[in-house]
Amino acid sequence: MKKLILVGAMFAMQAFIQRPAETPIPLCQTSHDMAAWAADANFMAMHDAPEAYHYAGKGETIKFSTPDGKDASGFLIKAPKKSDKWLFVYQEWWGLNDHIKHEAETFYNDLGDVNVLALDMYDGQVGTTPQEAGKIMQSVPKERLTAIMQGALAHVGKKAKIASVGWCFGGMLSLQSALLEGKQAVGCVMYYGRPEQDVEKLKTLNVDVLGVFGKQDKAPSPEMVEQFEQNMKAAGKQVTVKMYDAVHGFANPSNPKHDATATADAYKHSIEYLKKKFS
């Protein structure tokens, strides 16, 4: 009996012993919404390795601080004159490669007086095969993605009027960016990215959304896109969907399955939409 009392007292004392300051309890990091897709062999099979491309146009790499205490970077093409208009460009799952820099310049040339910032959501990593891209996309915590967006918002300032565009992984990020931008958001274009499914979150959007998707896509599938339309309606928000008879990633010129006709039409709608938002 005495032994039982002694053991009980020892456990009671341990409950009150504080953990040493040098061994804090680690915080969990959560996965983003497309992490599970990145681990799926079928999703990987939808992405052929991009063709080699070298960008040698306008722009410069910049760095800015983020709330998690790290630096982030992006590819910036400044407007000819000082402007509070900003377009955030979000990469595909490959990373901020030369193709995305070229896309950033294309939007810049057509928008005119808008600063275009392509954000590096992988902190310098770039995948050249589906396997590499999948591993990188899975490895980036949701908290880091959010911190990079928050850092970019702080960098451009509270007076900035912001629109966003992105493809695949970046399509999802474009919508998440619009949610984060609050009243600073003026537009959002998402190409075949996973839509936000939480109606309560969608209710906080301050802009309508232009969504570009493919009928032959399976991630997101046409059914998921239809559900997104219903969710946006339930949230009291507007979404315009342009659906093309094309595969996932059809708008990427470096994709062997690139659909030039669908890409041109989608871009026409995207640039018209963005010009109206920045007018």
Side-chain angles (χ1 to χ4, degrees):
M1 186 66 181
K2 289 182 179 179
K3 288 183 178 180
L4 290 174
I5 294 173
L6 181 60
V7 171
M10 289 175 64
F11 278 111
M13 289 177 65
Q14 288 179 355
F16 288 96
I17 296 175
Q18 295 183 342
R19 290 176 178 267
E22 65 272 16
T23 56
I25 300 174
L27 298 175
C28 293
Q29 292 182 319
T30 56
S31 298
H32 53 79
D33 290 344
M34 286 185 69
W37 285 4
D40 191 309
N42 292 323
F43 186 73
M44 285 191 184
M46 291 163 50
H47 298 79
D48 291 327
E51 296 174 354
Y53 175 76
H54 176 66
Y55 176 78
K58 306 171 186 174
E60 62 180 332
T61 299
I62 64 165
K63 292 198 174 201
F64 52 89
S65 59
T66 60
D68 57 5
K70 303 176 183 178
D71 283 339
S73 65
F75 179 74
L76 172 65
I77 309 178
K78 293 182 181 179
K81 298 180 181 179
K82 188 174 181 180
S83 173
D84 286 327
K85 299 175 183 178
W86 288 81
L87 177 67
F88 285 175
V89 177
Y90 287 99
Q91 67 198 45
E92 295 174 300
W93 80 328
W94 307 108
L96 181 51
N97 58 17
D98 280 5
H99 165 66
I100 296 299
K101 292 177 182 178
H102 179 261
E103 290 295 310
E105 184 183 20
T106 299
F107 278 101
Y108 171 83
N109 290 337
D110 287 335
L111 289 173
D113 62 342
V114 177
N115 301 291
V116 177
L117 177 59
L119 297 170
D120 185 353
M121 306 304 289
Y122 285 171
D123 290 313
Q125 299 182 87
V126 174
T128 58
T129 67
Q131 292 73 25
E132 288 178 350
K135 288 180 181 179
I136 298 171
M137 195 168 91
Q138 290 177 73
S139 70
V140 183
K142 184 177 181 179
E143 292 84 355
R144 179 57 183 162
L145 298 175
T146 302
I148 294 172
M149 292 180 185
Q150 290 172 329
L153 280 171
H155 178 75
V156 302
K158 294 182 179 180
K159 293 182 180 180
K161 296 178 181 179
I162 308 167
S164 58
V165 61
W167 305 262
C168 184
F169 179 52
M172 178 196 77
L173 294 175
S174 179
L175 181 56
Q176 294 302 317
S177 182
L179 287 164
L180 196 64
E181 290 153 17
K183 293 182 179 180
Q184 288 184 258
V186 297
C188 174
V189 181
M190 59 182 301
Y191 278 72
Y192 36 79
R194 183 184 176 95
E196 175 59 58
Q197 300 179 65
D198 188 331
V199 174
E200 293 305 310
K201 287 185 179 179
L202 292 174
K203 287 180 180 179
T204 67
L205 267 174
N206 281 277
V207 293
D208 63 317
V209 176
L210 173 61
V212 177
F213 301 96
K215 290 182 181 179
Q216 299 178 40
D217 201 344
K218 296 180 181 179
S221 65
E223 292 76 19
M224 182 175 283
V225 175
E226 184 178 352
Q227 183 62 55
F228 177 49
E229 292 180 274
Q230 295 174 9
N231 290 343
M232 285 286 280
K233 185 176 181 180
K237 305 299 176 180
Q238 182 180 348
V239 57
T240 301
V241 170
K242 299 297 180 183
M243 185 71 75
Y244 297 91
D245 189 15
V247 299
H248 186 85
F250 71 84
N252 184 345
S254 68
N255 180 357
K257 296 178 181 177
H258 169 60
D259 187 323
T261 302
T263 299
D265 190 71
Y267 182 76
K268 180 189 74 172
H269 289 292
S270 297
I271 201 67
E272 288 176 354
Y273 169 89
L274 291 170
K275 284 182 176 179
K276 288 179 181 178
K277 297 303 179 180
F278 283 125
S279 62

